[in-house]
Amino acid sequence: GDGSGGAGNGSHSNQTPMTVRGEADDGGDEGSPDEGTAPPGGVFTSIFHFLFGDQLPSTDQKLYWDTIADVLIANQGVVAGEQLVPFALSDTDSTSEHHRLEPHMPKIVKHFEGHTYATDCGQLLYIFAGLRGRTRSGPVPVYWQEPMLVFSTAPRWQTYTALGLGLANFVLVTVWMGVLSHPQLVAEVTRAAKTSAVVTLARVLSPAMLCYAIMYLTVPALRYCLITLVNSRRARRNHRRQGQAVALQAEAELAGPLQDKLHAARRIASGAHLPPSPLPQDLSL
């Protein structure tokens, strides 16, 4: 799950024509940019987390495919394309054309080595033989809730410490450059240090120190803005998928083509053997 830490958590339902033991939620507080659960580290660890963060994009992909696998296993490896509409990664809204063409399915079929199957009534189903017979425990999400990005997983005090160091560094560099711009103050510093080497070195290093101080604060600020933008888009997608899940659940409870399709999927899933002849592979991929 525009949700954090994985696909939805919240209300659960019993087995339904759409999925089993589903759950849905709008998302929690996990996406808060300054929430952290990592164990305390040193100053350098705090600075690194503050500047660059510590999340790996690959974990989102693994969570996504694990979530899809849970849904397929819960449905005994046989599903209708409509059941996975709330798990689509597309930014486009669900429409009648979306349901008919099922553009979200080829990637799922390819990833889990499934195949398409047409019933005698012309209903298109998807069979994942490799997931049949497997079991799982716990609730199955009814839609993909994208996890929220966090600014850092470090404890909040570490983030504030790193921010304080950056602000202090910027202030000190700014003050020092102000001192260097006044000849009288430079002369006093030279007399106090009993050498001009200190002032000379400071003049050489000051531009680089100022650039570092600015970048130290600019990089996290830009990263924070980017995280906020990405999370807002994820939240919108999560909200849309949740709406799709609710709409499909309601449609599945009414007599009609979708309910017939889901009944056909359950009949095949409950059988001892898979249908003998899937559609040609190019229709799946």
Side-chain angles (χ1 to χ4, degrees):
D2 262 357
S4 53
N9 38 9
S11 60
H12 300 131
S13 61
N14 296 326
Q15 182 169 345
T16 69
M18 292 304 302
T19 56
V20 297
R21 300 186 304 277
E23 56 182 24
D25 190 6
D26 267 334
D29 300 327
E30 296 104 311
S32 177
D34 56 2
E35 290 288 337
T37 57
V43 174
F44 291 108
T45 300
S46 304
I47 293 174
F48 182 86
H49 287 182
F50 179 72
L51 289 174
F52 306 111
D54 40 26
Q55 285 187 303
L56 299 176
S58 59
T59 58
D60 287 359
Q61 279 294 313
K62 182 180 184 304
L63 182 61
Y64 173 73
W65 291 120
D66 288 347
T67 301
I68 298 292
D70 284 345
V71 175
L72 298 178
I73 292 171
N75 288 275
Q76 302 177 41
V78 184
V79 296
E82 288 86 345
Q83 287 176 271
L84 297 182
V85 167
F87 297 86
L89 295 174
S90 172
D91 285 324
T92 58
D93 289 334
S94 175
T95 63
S96 59
E97 181 181 2
H98 188 291
H99 285 190
R100 184 171 68 253
L101 299 179
E102 300 178 354
H104 58 290
M105 288 304 302
K107 185 180 293 187
I108 296 175
V109 170
K110 182 178 181 179
H111 184 85
F112 292 105
E113 299 180 348
H115 65 262
T116 52
Y117 173 78
T119 67
D120 295 338
C121 298
Q123 298 158 327
L124 188 63
L125 302 177
Y126 298 87
I127 299 177
F128 301 85
L131 298 177
R132 286 177 58 81
R134 294 176 55 178
T135 59
R136 62 172 309 285
S137 60
V140 178
V142 296
Y143 70 98
W144 166 234
Q145 187 173 352
E146 292 182 76
M148 296 292 124
L149 299 178
V150 295
F151 184 79
S152 173
T153 58
R156 187 175 299 182
W157 69 266
Q158 285 193 353
T159 301
Y160 290 155
T161 299
L163 175 60
L165 290 174
L167 291 173
N169 182 46
F170 179 79
V171 170
L172 290 175
V173 171
T174 303
V175 171
W176 181 240
M177 292 190 70
V179 170
L180 294 178
S181 64
H182 291 79
Q184 298 88 347
L185 296 177
V186 171
E188 292 182 8
V189 171
T190 301
R191 285 195 301 270
K194 298 181 181 180
T195 176
S196 62
V198 174
V199 175
T200 302
L201 181 62
R203 288 186 186 277
V204 172
L205 296 181
S206 290
M209 294 174 63
L210 180 62
C211 289
Y212 171 78
I214 293 174
M215 291 299 295
Y216 184 96
L217 297 175
T218 301
V219 170
L222 292 176
R223 196 165 63 83
Y224 182 91
C225 293
L226 179 61
I227 288 174
T228 301
L229 177 62
V230 170
N231 281 347
S232 66
R233 292 178 176 176
R234 290 190 175 193
R236 285 196 299 269
R237 289 195 294 266
N238 286 344
H239 183 73
R240 188 190 68 247
R241 293 191 194 100
Q242 185 181 31
Q244 291 170 345
V246 172
L248 289 170
Q249 184 74 40
E251 184 180 354
E253 293 174 354
L254 301 175
L258 179 57
Q259 189 178 85
D260 294 340
K261 198 173 184 181
L262 296 174
H263 286 165
R266 287 200 299 276
R267 284 196 300 271
I268 293 175
S270 62
H273 302 285
L274 294 177
S277 54
L279 290 179
Q281 187 68 9
D282 60 345
L283 293 181
S284 299
L285 305 178

